[in-house]
Amino acid sequence: PPFPSPFYRVLTEYERSAPEEEGGSAYQALCYGYVKAEWPHLSLRASKVRTGSSRQHRYGDIDGFYGPDLMISVEVKDRDINDSNVSSELGTMMQVAQNTTAIAIAICRRITDDARSTLEDVGVQVLSDENIKSQIQVWDYHKQNRALQGMVHFFANIEENPAGVQRLLRFVESIDPENTALAHLHEEFDV
């Protein structure tokens, strides 16, 4: 039988908000999983949603290091980006692109062509849900599962939200009932 496509299904079908989760945390977890699978050679640094990156001495929501060197910095926005909000929402990434040698990346739900041009003109790489969806379609099961495990890790160990873990695992159970992460379904996480 064909292998499931768990991360693709999470991207396209998973409800991104729930009462027991901080707004934006599901999308941040999804993007963390994506980054983990796409750049497995980097050590990632991230914090809970609503934790300012500057207070944590981070550049973006997710920073990827190779040893001491910042290689990528990712800002995550679970919203539509357009010309009127691009600077206020992604100004920090524009500065990272202009002032560091790191690859500055903005991941957002949707983006207009003019906002994309504004970002790309200063060196920010842009990924929308459609871009990620296209990439994931060529990922094999194991790479998709690596991203899914990264998403579980974010909820369990960074966001420290056991309810978020359980909600995600219940969804995984419905799309990939043999997934190894399901060993943690109904498990209590001490935080």
Side-chain angles (χ1 to χ4, degrees):
F3 282 99
S5 298
F7 199 66
Y8 182 85
R9 302 273 306 269
V10 167
L11 175 68
T12 58
E13 300 171 29
Y14 187 64
E15 183 62 45
R16 292 187 181 172
S17 63
E20 66 274 2
E21 296 169 19
E22 283 284 344
S25 64
Y27 196 63
Q28 190 125 338
L30 182 139
C31 292
Y32 182 91
Y34 169 81
V35 170
K36 183 168 182 46
E38 193 64 12
W39 290 277
H41 62 289
L42 298 180
S43 299
L44 301 183
R45 188 166 179 209
S47 295
K48 294 179 180 187
V49 173
R50 307 282 184 261
T51 303
S53 2
S54 58
R55 284 181 289 161
Q56 298 289 315
H57 304 292
R58 288 181 294 111
Y59 297 90
D61 292 321
I62 305 163
D63 291 332
F65 292 86
Y66 191 80
D69 300 321
L70 178 69
M71 302 307 295
I72 65 169
S73 184
V74 180
E75 189 70 22
V76 176
K77 298 293 178 186
D78 188 17
R79 59 180 50 115
D80 295 351
I81 302 297
N82 56 46
D83 209 36
S84 67
N85 68 2
V86 66
S87 294
S88 61
E89 294 292 338
L90 293 164
T92 301
M93 274 302 100
M94 295 165 80
Q95 291 175 349
V96 168
Q98 294 172 315
N99 299 323
T100 72
T101 58
I103 299 168
I105 303 166
I107 301 179
C108 52
R109 186 173 48 212
R110 278 183 292 281
I111 187 164
T112 60
D113 290 340
D114 53 348
R116 183 183 290 271
S117 292
T118 298
L119 291 168
E120 290 176 348
D121 285 349
V122 295
V124 177
Q125 304 299 310
V126 180
L127 294 170
S128 66
D129 283 6
E130 283 302 313
N131 300 130
I132 293 173
K133 188 162 61 167
S134 295
Q135 288 181 353
I136 293 173
Q137 287 177 326
V138 297
W139 286 8
D140 66 25
Y141 174 80
H142 298 287
K143 188 168 182 177
Q144 286 200 33
N145 194 45
R146 177 182 286 171
L148 180 66
Q149 299 295 334
M151 190 174 179
V152 173
H153 168 79
F154 183 90
F155 266 131
N157 300 303
I158 296 173
E159 194 64 28
E160 298 176 327
N161 184 338
V165 173
Q166 292 301 305
R167 185 173 81 87
L168 176 59
L169 292 179
R170 285 190 302 275
F171 180 80
V172 171
E173 184 178 40
S174 72
I175 60 167
D176 185 10
E178 302 299 316
N179 193 291
T180 57
L182 296 177
H184 301 287
L185 189 60
H186 308 298
E187 191 175 282
E188 292 297 319
F189 291 90
D190 294 325
V191 290

